[in-house]
Amino acid sequence: MAILRKKIDIQSDPNTGFGVNSENSRGRFYNRTTGSANVVKRGVNVLNRYSWYHTMLAMPRAKFLLFLLMAYIIVNLFFAGIYYMIGIDHLAGVHQGSVVKNFTEVFFFSAQTFTTVGYGRISPVGFLASSVSTFEAFLGLLSFALATGLFYGRFSRPRAFLSFSHNALIAPYKGGAALMFRMAPYKNNLLSEAEVKINLAMQIEENGKMMNRFYNLDLEISKINALALSWTIVHPIDEKSPLYNFNYTDMINAKIEALVFVKAFDEVFSNTVVQRFSYIASEIIWGARFKIMYHADNQKDRTILDLNKLNDYEKVELLSPVAAQ
Amino acid sequence: MAILRKKIDIQSDPNTGFGVNSENSRGRFYNRTTGSANVVKRGVNVLNRYSWYHTMLAMPRAKFLLFLLMAYIIVNLFFAGIYYMIGIDHLAGVHQGSVVKNFTEVFFFSAQTFTTVGYGRISPVGFLASSVSTFEAFLGLLSFALATGLFYGRFSRPRAFLSFSHNALIAPYKGGAALMFRMAPYKNNLLSEAEVKINLAMQIEENGKMMNRFYNLDLEISKINALALSWTIVHPIDEKSPLYNFNYTDMINAKIEALVFVKAFDEVFSNTVVQRFSYIASEIIWGARFKIMYHADNQKDRTILDLNKLNDYEKVELLSPVAAQ
Amino acid sequence: MAILRKKIDIQSDPNTGFGVNSENSRGRFYNRTTGSANVVKRGVNVLNRYSWYHTMLAMPRAKFLLFLLMAYIIVNLFFAGIYYMIGIDHLAGVHQGSVVKNFTEVFFFSAQTFTTVGYGRISPVGFLASSVSTFEAFLGLLSFALATGLFYGRFSRPRAFLSFSHNALIAPYKGGAALMFRMAPYKNNLLSEAEVKINLAMQIEENGKMMNRFYNLDLEISKINALALSWTIVHPIDEKSPLYNFNYTDMINAKIEALVFVKAFDEVFSNTVVQRFSYIASEIIWGARFKIMYHADNQKDRTILDLNKLNDYEKVELLSPVAAQ
Amino acid sequence: MAILRKKIDIQSDPNTGFGVNSENSRGRFYNRTTGSANVVKRGVNVLNRYSWYHTMLAMPRAKFLLFLLMAYIIVNLFFAGIYYMIGIDHLAGVHQGSVVKNFTEVFFFSAQTFTTVGYGRISPVGFLASSVSTFEAFLGLLSFALATGLFYGRFSRPRAFLSFSHNALIAPYKGGAALMFRMAPYKNNLLSEAEVKINLAMQIEENGKMMNRFYNLDLEISKINALALSWTIVHPIDEKSPLYNFNYTDMINAKIEALVFVKAFDEVFSNTVVQRFSYIASEIIWGARFKIMYHADNQKDRTILDLNKLNDYEKVELLSPVAAQ
């Protein structure tokens, strides 16, 4: 394999936090959609394995709202059951009827208690029913206190809201070539002091064993004052690059993955935000360059950033042979 | 044009995040009032384009409160409509009358449910009306949970609360001249470790093409321990300055814009805060110096900072010719 | 004056944020209790001068609770007035009586609406009273949303909870002397990576004019890994110290003030916290050393930190003359 | 004792924040479970000694919920007492009976007021009962505002969620030996830019007095980009190590304690998190190495991290004598 014919002289980075033994740790390192590491944990019981708050924060909005609604219905079914067992006579004002009708009445009484709306048409009489409703109203308020916290936690959670180009390119650059990709903020947030790090993972045979190696890629510009427009990240493929003398087949064989880590300061949240992304070999276009994605709006004296064009590129001939066979 | 007669030898800063091609990116870079970049995004649908939380945080207070009130009325009109369609007979205690009166009654019942005030004069009877009111009370509590989060998010949002002098000045400085402006905190917050960066944008013709160039300006003092009084930022116009040998016409022709970025630690919020501001050529006074804006209050043994004087300057002759024609 | 007989050769620090002209800026720089700068702002109207959220956060607890209670009563008096003007007939269930009794009834109805307790004995009838109560319930919920945010903002506000020794000492140190003071955390919080900066302010006559000069004091140790016990900050008075060759009278004449700034990471809040303190000449004891304030508890195998001893010192003879007359 | 036969030439670290005199400060420095310093504070009264918010945050979940429930019951007992003293006649709708039954009724009325459920079967009549219930509803809402803040504070509190191996090992390393231990994140949080510092505490006799000395240990890798898998921290025991030439008895005699401090950025909380841990001599295994704790899941193309194996090690012969007798 191509990767065995060459020697990569540059120093690999031991600080990535991923395992070096390819037997034990293989495949894509980052999940492309979520940016989280492709690691499964064993040996922790379910209760400890998840931070339920992290889970609640990461849950899609619709699922989160449905979860709340389900919890609301289940809690009320539970309390309705208790009131029903205590006996419908302990709830004054119930319009009695069939079993179903009676259960429906106590269910609605439960909901009116849990939400503290307490119309009062139905009201508890006697120690048992009163005690349960006293506890339910307390539980209701605490539940909504919790929901308040979750809502706030969800929407105040600082996120970078960055879109990445679908492909990375091997593009012409100063008489040679460079690995490039670009990103742009897609919401009305304001990022400053953005900083990007790229770590290139590859599998190399060392002493007859497949090893994972990680290389920090030098970037033309790795810090930017304000991330107002799109930002094209450029890694020049020169002698100091682990991709030097690689061709497309080498990239595929070495199963390279460019691990992207972006850190910035969000000026609305006043907080640091981070985002991860990754490109594997098959997502890298050999010989292409990005088309410009912004232009001036003359009337409005503003710059237009067209996010539809984020991944727009044109195929080009590389000026010099990047990889010698 | 003047700008073509001179060569700026110092290194421009490629890390500003703004485009270098003047054809594509022109006009004022920062919006002066909000400090945000003059960029419009296209190609994202409305739902994804805005972080509604960012929007809610940035909305003026009156507009925000009006928005809440409107939402409250609309939600109640909606639920009133549903109750009305279910039939007014399913709400016990309604004082029936004309269509308008009936609708009014269900509207108020809806409001009493949504806010969970639940007086109980009107109360739902039967499965449908009870179900809707059960859901409405739930929705009401979640809405106020959301409002709680928004309120907190709004007033706990760390902001710098800095006022900037309306004008920047070209003022006498150590036998030469310097670009100066000043700022002062106008609220009872306490900023420490304040840091300022100025980036000077200008349009220069290079190879027959108008390019945007950005230069980091050296400052006499760029960090300050505590921002207790006003702070005058001073950029000496010496050989290392991109403004060296400029005259007023050059500034106008080069469409210069001084992009100001302030970062500080707010001791009440215990958080980093940032603020942006910018001065374009027409906002720079040629030959002026700021008047002192604080004085001692002898009785009280305190320093008085008069924010009305933030922009007070007097015209002066520049000691040496800054710009040779 | 003594201060004129000597020349301080070391570089003063221009980055303090305080004015250098003693005519305009004099007296104690930091307020000793709050640690805030002794500056009064003018020229901002009352609405803009205060961040009401900052004010609410900084308010003592009792005052804050009283403020809430007062606001609650005033709001209810206001709405009671409106209901009374609409007419008591529009509130069903009111036990009518004297003017006072009637007003009391509407006041309580208002409170029941504002808190959404809504017993329902009294309930609004007709468009006007219902509309007002609909709005009041809405306002009530928003008010408590606001209160929730304030409560959370108050108790989640990261603070350093540090006690400082009442006096700073000029103590024997390595055959010479050093300026020392100490501090200790007094609550069950955990501070790590604590960092201290001291800035010495003094008034010096330069060219016949009294100027404020500020000097960064070199510290024996300025960073500490964990602030678990007390921490004695030591500034050796050697040739590099602005206090070199000073005697007690010099300190008084120069109106010195040691401005202390502490920054640390609180591990419970997971946030940076800062605190300020200052010592003026009359608070500095000439020739004393601190007594040790912690000891081992043999049974418990723990260290006992006695905060009562924070300021305990004993008078000592300085080993060498620090100040030559 | 062994510790007296050798001279440790390397520089000790004076910045740990712990006392150097072993008479005054001895025993384990860090509490192993909580990671907090083994220090007891005296001389602060109970009200000031604890930050109740810190206490509430650190309290176990079950205890916290029980605390809230108890507070709810006590508050209602208190108000029930007041209503009972005012007289049960001032509460319309009470089903009167025995003293116990009456008290039960006012207790439930109190709960219905405090939670603002306000069914209205029982409602206050007259100035006194109405006033008290007005205040109670107000107090109720504030209490739940407080609870909301506490809930949010508790679950939004950034924590590292790291598990440490129970033992540290003296393991073979590059022909010599190294002190090693490992850690792994056990929840679904994502830590980046993790950084570890180890400080080695030991007791040494100096001038006939037992002193605490602290040494920063050099680490093979002290920063890691992403803490996705387990991380083995390695301190090579070479000439620069304070453990150089130590044997097991020396470690015990010197009462060494390795103080571990981890700092990382949590990408879900978007906040810095820290965690502390420590190993004393008896928790260090002489001559052992860790077994690998992760492997590839071929089907799923993911890495499996088995947290049960966190402390799995095998005894090995050290390759060279670490300690000479």
Side-chain angles (χ1 to χ4, degrees):
Chain A
M1 283 181 356
I3 205 69
L4 297 176
R5 282 187 286 118
K6 298 159 195 155
K7 185 151 167 20
I8 295 176
D9 287 315
I10 61 167
Q11 188 66 38
S12 72
D13 175 16
N15 304 1
T16 56
F18 286 103
V20 293
N21 188 334
S22 297
E23 300 295 318
N24 296 322
S25 160
R26 67 162 52 145
R28 184 156 207 156
F29 288 95
Y30 283 3
N31 182 312
R32 209 184 198 208
T33 319
T34 65
S36 59
N38 263 331
V39 173
V40 180
K41 278 159 197 164
R42 291 276 162 77
V44 210
N45 65 53
V46 168
L47 279 178
N48 287 326
R49 198 184 312 160
Y50 299 105
S51 160
W52 70 268
Y53 179 63
H54 278 68
T55 310
M56 284 301 197
L57 286 202
M59 200 180 274
R61 190 177 299 170
K63 201 174 161 190
F64 173 70
L65 292 175
L66 198 69
F67 172 86
L68 291 183
L69 185 59
M70 283 299 134
Y72 176 58
I73 291 172
I74 287 167
V75 163
N76 282 323
L77 284 174
F78 174 78
F79 275 101
I82 292 182
Y83 292 123
Y84 196 80
M85 286 188 300
I86 290 173
I88 203 159
D89 299 334
H90 292 84
L91 296 178
V94 165
H95 295 182
Q96 300 204 14
S98 66
V99 168
V100 170
K101 181 163 170 52
N102 286 353
F103 192 83
T104 312
E105 286 277 295
V106 293
F107 177 86
F108 291 131
F109 168 71
S110 163
Q112 289 163 20
T113 302
F114 191 75
T115 57
T116 78
V117 75
Y119 296 116
R121 174 169 71 77
I122 310 173
S123 68
V125 178
F127 187 76
L128 262 182
S130 294
S131 296
V132 173
S133 67
T134 293
F135 179 73
E136 191 185 5
F138 170 72
L139 197 74
L141 283 175
L142 288 196
S143 302
F144 285 102
L146 220 127
T148 302
L150 283 180
F151 267 103
Y152 181 68
R154 279 178 67 91
F155 53 64
S156 73
R157 179 187 163 202
R159 269 178 297 174
F161 298 122
L162 287 174
S163 280
F164 288 84
S165 60
H166 185 72
N167 296 111
L169 312 180
I170 305 290
Y173 177 78
K174 290 189 180 167
L179 176 75
M180 298 187 183
F181 61 91
R182 63 183 176 189
M183 58 187 176
Y186 62 92
K187 292 220 172 178
N188 57 342
N189 56 339
L190 199 50
L191 299 175
S192 53
E193 305 193 329
E195 191 183 341
V196 78
K197 286 184 195 169
I198 311 182
N199 210 282
L200 190 79
M202 54 172 86
Q203 291 191 10
I204 298 181
E205 193 177 323
E206 288 184 0
N207 310 319
K209 205 172 157 187
M210 288 306 290
M211 301 296 282
N212 293 324
R213 284 286 169 261
F214 301 90
Y215 301 91
N216 287 319
L217 299 191
D218 290 336
L219 302 179
E220 190 199 32
I221 294 172
S222 63
K223 282 193 182 191
I224 212 170
N225 295 344
L227 192 42
L229 292 173
S230 60
W231 184 16
T232 304
I233 285 91
V234 176
H235 162 64
I237 302 179
D238 53 19
E239 314 83 48
K240 289 172 300 177
S241 167
L243 290 171
Y244 193 59
N245 278 340
F246 265 47
N247 60 18
Y248 186 73
T249 321
D250 292 339
M251 290 201 321
I252 297 288
N253 284 342
K255 292 183 177 172
I256 72 164
E257 181 174 357
L259 310 169
V260 182
F261 175 74
V262 189
K263 194 177 176 175
F265 186 84
D266 181 294
E267 302 193 3
V268 175
F269 287 126
S270 275
N271 207 339
T272 300
V273 289
V274 300
Q275 198 167 325
R276 294 177 182 283
F277 201 70
S278 85
Y279 296 95
I280 57 172
S282 61
E283 289 153 4
I284 300 178
I285 308 289
W286 194 270
R289 75 172 154 226
F290 285 116
K291 295 183 187 170
I292 205 158
M293 64 184 283
Y294 58 88
H295 58 273
D297 173 353
N298 288 321
Q299 285 73 30
K300 287 193 160 185
D301 215 23
R302 294 180 138 218
T303 304
I304 307 293
L305 181 68
D306 192 344
L307 284 148
N308 277 331
K309 296 185 179 162
L310 184 59
N311 198 46
D312 281 10
Y313 60 85
E314 51 195 357
K315 296 289 287 184
V316 286
E317 204 64 40
L318 287 181
L319 297 182
S320 76
V322 177
Q325 296 302 320
Chain B
M1 281 182 357
I3 206 67
L4 296 176
R5 280 187 288 116
K6 296 159 196 158
K7 183 149 168 26
I8 294 177
D9 287 315
I10 61 167
Q11 188 66 37
S12 72
D13 174 16
N15 304 0
T16 55
F18 286 104
V20 293
N21 187 334
S22 297
E23 300 296 317
N24 296 323
S25 159
R26 67 160 54 143
R28 184 155 206 158
F29 288 94
Y30 283 4
N31 181 313
R32 209 183 197 206
T33 319
T34 65
S36 60
N38 264 332
V39 173
V40 179
K41 278 158 198 164
R42 291 275 163 78
V44 211
N45 65 52
V46 169
L47 279 178
N48 286 326
R49 199 184 312 160
Y50 298 105
S51 159
W52 69 269
Y53 180 63
H54 277 68
T55 309
M56 284 302 198
L57 286 203
M59 201 180 272
R61 190 177 300 172
K63 202 174 161 191
F64 173 69
L65 291 174
L66 199 69
F67 172 86
L68 291 183
L69 186 59
M70 281 300 133
Y72 176 58
I73 291 172
I74 288 166
V75 164
N76 282 321
L77 284 175
F78 174 78
F79 276 101
I82 291 182
Y83 292 122
Y84 195 80
M85 286 189 298
I86 290 173
I88 203 159
D89 299 333
H90 292 84
L91 296 179
V94 166
H95 295 183
Q96 300 203 15
S98 65
V99 169
V100 171
K101 183 165 170 49
N102 287 353
F103 192 82
T104 313
E105 286 277 293
V106 294
F107 178 86
F108 291 132
F109 167 72
S110 163
Q112 290 162 20
T113 303
F114 191 74
T115 58
T116 79
V117 74
Y119 296 117
R121 175 170 70 76
I122 310 173
S123 68
V125 178
F127 186 77
L128 261 183
S130 294
S131 295
V132 173
S133 68
T134 292
F135 179 72
E136 190 184 7
F138 169 73
L139 197 74
L141 283 175
L142 289 196
S143 303
F144 285 102
L146 220 128
T148 302
L150 283 180
F151 266 104
Y152 181 68
R154 280 178 66 91
F155 54 66
S156 73
R157 179 187 163 202
R159 269 178 297 173
F161 297 123
L162 287 173
S163 280
F164 288 84
S165 61
H166 184 73
N167 296 111
L169 313 179
I170 304 290
Y173 176 78
K174 290 190 180 167
L179 176 76
M180 298 187 184
F181 62 91
R182 65 184 175 187
M183 59 187 174
Y186 63 92
K187 291 220 171 177
N188 56 342
N189 56 340
L190 198 51
L191 299 175
S192 54
E193 304 194 328
E195 191 182 339
V196 79
K197 285 185 196 169
I198 311 182
N199 210 282
L200 190 80
M202 54 172 85
Q203 291 192 10
I204 298 182
E205 192 178 324
E206 286 184 2
N207 310 321
K209 205 172 157 188
M210 288 307 290
M211 302 297 281
N212 292 325
R213 284 285 169 260
F214 300 90
Y215 300 91
N216 287 319
L217 299 191
D218 290 335
L219 301 179
E220 191 198 30
I221 294 172
S222 63
K223 282 192 182 193
I224 212 170
N225 296 344
L227 191 42
L229 292 173
S230 60
W231 184 16
T232 303
I233 285 91
V234 175
H235 161 65
I237 303 179
D238 53 19
E239 313 84 47
K240 289 171 300 177
S241 167
L243 291 171
Y244 193 60
N245 276 341
F246 265 48
N247 60 18
Y248 186 74
T249 321
D250 292 338
M251 291 202 318
I252 297 288
N253 284 342
K255 292 183 177 172
I256 72 164
E257 179 174 357
L259 309 169
V260 182
F261 175 72
V262 189
K263 193 176 176 176
F265 186 83
D266 180 294
E267 302 194 3
V268 175
F269 287 125
S270 274
N271 207 338
T272 300
V273 289
V274 300
Q275 198 168 324
R276 295 179 182 281
F277 201 69
S278 86
Y279 295 96
I280 56 172
S282 61
E283 289 153 3
I284 300 177
I285 307 290
W286 195 271
R289 75 174 155 223
F290 284 116
K291 295 182 186 171
I292 205 157
M293 63 184 283
Y294 59 88
H295 58 274
D297 172 351
N298 287 321
Q299 285 73 32
K300 289 193 158 184
D301 215 22
R302 294 180 140 219
T303 304
I304 308 293
L305 180 69
D306 192 343
L307 283 148
N308 277 330
K309 297 184 177 162
L310 184 59
N311 199 45
D312 282 10
Y313 60 84
E314 51 194 358
K315 295 288 285 183
V316 287
E317 204 65 40
L318 287 180
L319 296 183
S320 76
V322 177
Q325 296 302 322
Chain C
M1 282 184 357
I3 205 69
L4 297 176
R5 281 187 286 117
K6 296 157 198 159
K7 184 149 166 26
I8 295 176
D9 287 315
I10 61 167
Q11 188 67 37
S12 72
D13 174 17
N15 304 0
T16 56
F18 285 103
V20 293
N21 188 335
S22 297
E23 299 297 317
N24 295 324
S25 160
R26 67 161 51 144
R28 185 156 207 156
F29 288 94
Y30 283 3
N31 181 314
R32 209 184 198 207
T33 318
T34 64
S36 60
N38 265 331
V39 173
V40 180
K41 278 158 197 164
R42 292 274 164 78
V44 209
N45 65 53
V46 168
L47 279 179
N48 287 326
R49 198 184 311 161
Y50 298 105
S51 159
W52 69 268
Y53 180 63
H54 278 69
T55 310
M56 284 302 197
L57 286 202
M59 202 181 272
R61 189 176 302 171
K63 201 173 162 191
F64 173 69
L65 292 175
L66 199 68
F67 172 86
L68 292 183
L69 186 59
M70 282 299 133
Y72 177 57
I73 292 172
I74 287 166
V75 164
N76 282 322
L77 284 175
F78 174 78
F79 276 101
I82 292 181
Y83 293 122
Y84 195 81
M85 286 189 297
I86 290 173
I88 204 160
D89 299 334
H90 292 83
L91 297 179
V94 165
H95 295 182
Q96 299 204 14
S98 65
V99 170
V100 172
K101 182 164 170 50
N102 287 352
F103 193 83
T104 313
E105 287 275 294
V106 293
F107 178 86
F108 291 131
F109 168 72
S110 162
Q112 290 162 20
T113 302
F114 191 74
T115 58
T116 78
V117 75
Y119 296 115
R121 174 170 70 78
I122 310 173
S123 67
V125 177
F127 186 77
L128 262 183
S130 294
S131 296
V132 173
S133 67
T134 292
F135 180 72
E136 190 184 8
F138 170 73
L139 198 73
L141 282 176
L142 288 195
S143 303
F144 285 103
L146 219 128
T148 302
L150 283 180
F151 266 103
Y152 181 68
R154 281 179 66 90
F155 54 64
S156 73
R157 179 187 161 200
R159 268 177 298 173
F161 297 123
L162 288 173
S163 279
F164 288 84
S165 62
H166 185 73
N167 297 111
L169 313 180
I170 303 291
Y173 177 78
K174 292 189 180 167
L179 176 75
M180 298 186 183
F181 62 91
R182 65 183 176 188
M183 59 186 175
Y186 63 92
K187 293 219 172 178
N188 57 344
N189 55 340
L190 197 52
L191 299 175
S192 54
E193 305 194 327
E195 192 184 339
V196 78
K197 286 184 196 170
I198 311 182
N199 210 282
L200 189 80
M202 55 172 85
Q203 291 192 10
I204 298 180
E205 192 177 325
E206 287 184 2
N207 310 322
K209 204 172 159 188
M210 290 306 290
M211 301 297 281
N212 292 325
R213 283 285 169 260
F214 301 90
Y215 301 92
N216 287 318
L217 298 192
D218 290 335
L219 301 180
E220 190 199 32
I221 295 173
S222 63
K223 282 193 182 191
I224 212 169
N225 295 344
L227 192 42
L229 294 172
S230 60
W231 183 16
T232 304
I233 284 93
V234 176
H235 162 64
I237 302 179
D238 53 20
E239 313 82 49
K240 290 171 299 178
S241 167
L243 290 171
Y244 193 59
N245 278 339
F246 264 48
N247 60 17
Y248 186 73
T249 322
D250 292 339
M251 290 202 319
I252 297 289
N253 285 342
K255 292 184 177 172
I256 73 165
E257 181 175 358
L259 310 170
V260 182
F261 175 72
V262 189
K263 192 176 176 174
F265 185 83
D266 181 294
E267 302 194 3
V268 175
F269 287 126
S270 275
N271 208 336
T272 300
V273 290
V274 301
Q275 198 168 324
R276 296 178 181 282
F277 201 70
S278 85
Y279 295 96
I280 56 172
S282 61
E283 289 153 2
I284 299 177
I285 308 290
W286 194 268
R289 75 173 154 224
F290 284 116
K291 295 184 187 170
I292 204 157
M293 65 183 284
Y294 59 89
H295 58 274
D297 173 351
N298 287 321
Q299 286 72 32
K300 287 194 161 184
D301 214 24
R302 293 180 139 221
T303 305
I304 308 294
L305 181 68
D306 192 344
L307 283 149
N308 277 330
K309 295 184 179 163
L310 184 59
N311 199 46
D312 281 11
Y313 61 83
E314 52 193 359
K315 296 288 287 184
V316 287
E317 203 65 40
L318 287 180
L319 296 182
S320 77
V322 177
Q325 296 301 322
Chain D
M1 280 181 358
I3 205 66
L4 297 175
R5 280 187 288 116
K6 297 158 196 157
K7 185 147 167 25
I8 295 175
D9 286 316
I10 61 166
Q11 188 66 36
S12 71
D13 174 16
N15 303 1
T16 57
F18 287 103
V20 293
N21 188 334
S22 297
E23 300 296 318
N24 295 324
S25 160
R26 65 161 54 144
R28 185 156 207 156
F29 288 94
Y30 282 4
N31 182 312
R32 210 184 196 208
T33 319
T34 64
S36 61
N38 265 331
V39 173
V40 180
K41 277 158 197 165
R42 292 275 163 79
V44 210
N45 65 53
V46 169
L47 279 179
N48 286 326
R49 198 184 312 160
Y50 298 105
S51 160
W52 70 268
Y53 180 63
H54 279 67
T55 309
M56 283 302 197
L57 286 202
M59 201 181 273
R61 190 177 300 170
K63 202 174 161 191
F64 173 69
L65 292 174
L66 199 69
F67 173 86
L68 291 183
L69 186 59
M70 282 299 133
Y72 176 58
I73 293 172
I74 288 167
V75 163
N76 282 323
L77 284 174
F78 174 79
F79 276 101
I82 292 182
Y83 292 122
Y84 195 80
M85 286 190 298
I86 290 173
I88 202 160
D89 299 335
H90 292 83
L91 297 179
V94 165
H95 294 183
Q96 298 205 15
S98 66
V99 168
V100 171
K101 183 165 170 49
N102 286 352
F103 192 82
T104 312
E105 287 275 295
V106 292
F107 177 86
F108 292 130
F109 168 70
S110 162
Q112 289 161 21
T113 303
F114 191 74
T115 58
T116 78
V117 75
Y119 296 116
R121 175 171 69 79
I122 311 173
S123 69
V125 178
F127 187 77
L128 260 184
S130 294
S131 296
V132 173
S133 68
T134 293
F135 180 72
E136 191 185 7
F138 170 73
L139 197 73
L141 282 175
L142 288 196
S143 303
F144 286 102
L146 220 127
T148 301
L150 283 180
F151 266 103
Y152 181 68
R154 280 178 67 91
F155 54 65
S156 74
R157 179 189 163 202
R159 270 177 298 172
F161 298 122
L162 287 174
S163 281
F164 288 84
S165 61
H166 185 73
N167 296 111
L169 312 179
I170 304 290
Y173 178 78
K174 292 188 180 168
L179 176 75
M180 298 186 183
F181 61 91
R182 64 184 176 188
M183 58 186 176
Y186 63 93
K187 294 220 172 179
N188 57 343
N189 56 340
L190 198 51
L191 299 175
S192 54
E193 304 194 328
E195 191 182 342
V196 77
K197 286 183 195 171
I198 311 182
N199 211 282
L200 190 80
M202 54 172 85
Q203 291 192 10
I204 298 182
E205 193 177 323
E206 286 184 2
N207 310 321
K209 205 171 159 189
M210 289 307 289
M211 302 297 279
N212 292 324
R213 283 286 169 261
F214 301 89
Y215 300 91
N216 287 318
L217 298 192
D218 290 336
L219 302 180
E220 191 199 30
I221 295 173
S222 63
K223 282 193 182 190
I224 212 171
N225 295 345
L227 193 40
L229 293 172
S230 60
W231 184 16
T232 303
I233 285 92
V234 176
H235 162 64
I237 303 178
D238 54 19
E239 314 83 48
K240 289 172 298 178
S241 167
L243 290 170
Y244 193 58
N245 278 340
F246 264 48
N247 59 19
Y248 186 72
T249 323
D250 292 339
M251 290 201 320
I252 297 290
N253 284 342
K255 293 184 177 172
I256 71 164
E257 180 175 356
L259 310 169
V260 182
F261 175 73
V262 190
K263 194 176 176 175
F265 186 84
D266 181 293
E267 302 193 3
V268 175
F269 287 126
S270 274
N271 207 338
T272 300
V273 290
V274 300
Q275 198 168 325
R276 293 177 183 283
F277 201 69
S278 85
Y279 296 96
I280 58 172
S282 61
E283 289 153 3
I284 299 177
I285 309 289
W286 195 270
R289 74 174 154 224
F290 284 116
K291 294 183 187 170
I292 205 158
M293 64 182 287
Y294 58 90
H295 59 274
D297 173 352
N298 287 321
Q299 284 73 32
K300 288 193 158 184
D301 216 24
R302 293 180 140 219
T303 304
I304 308 293
L305 181 68
D306 191 345
L307 283 149
N308 278 331
K309 296 185 177 160
L310 184 60
N311 199 45
D312 281 11
Y313 60 84
E314 51 194 358
K315 295 289 287 186
V316 286
E317 204 65 39
L318 288 180
L319 296 182
S320 75
V322 178
Q325 296 301 321

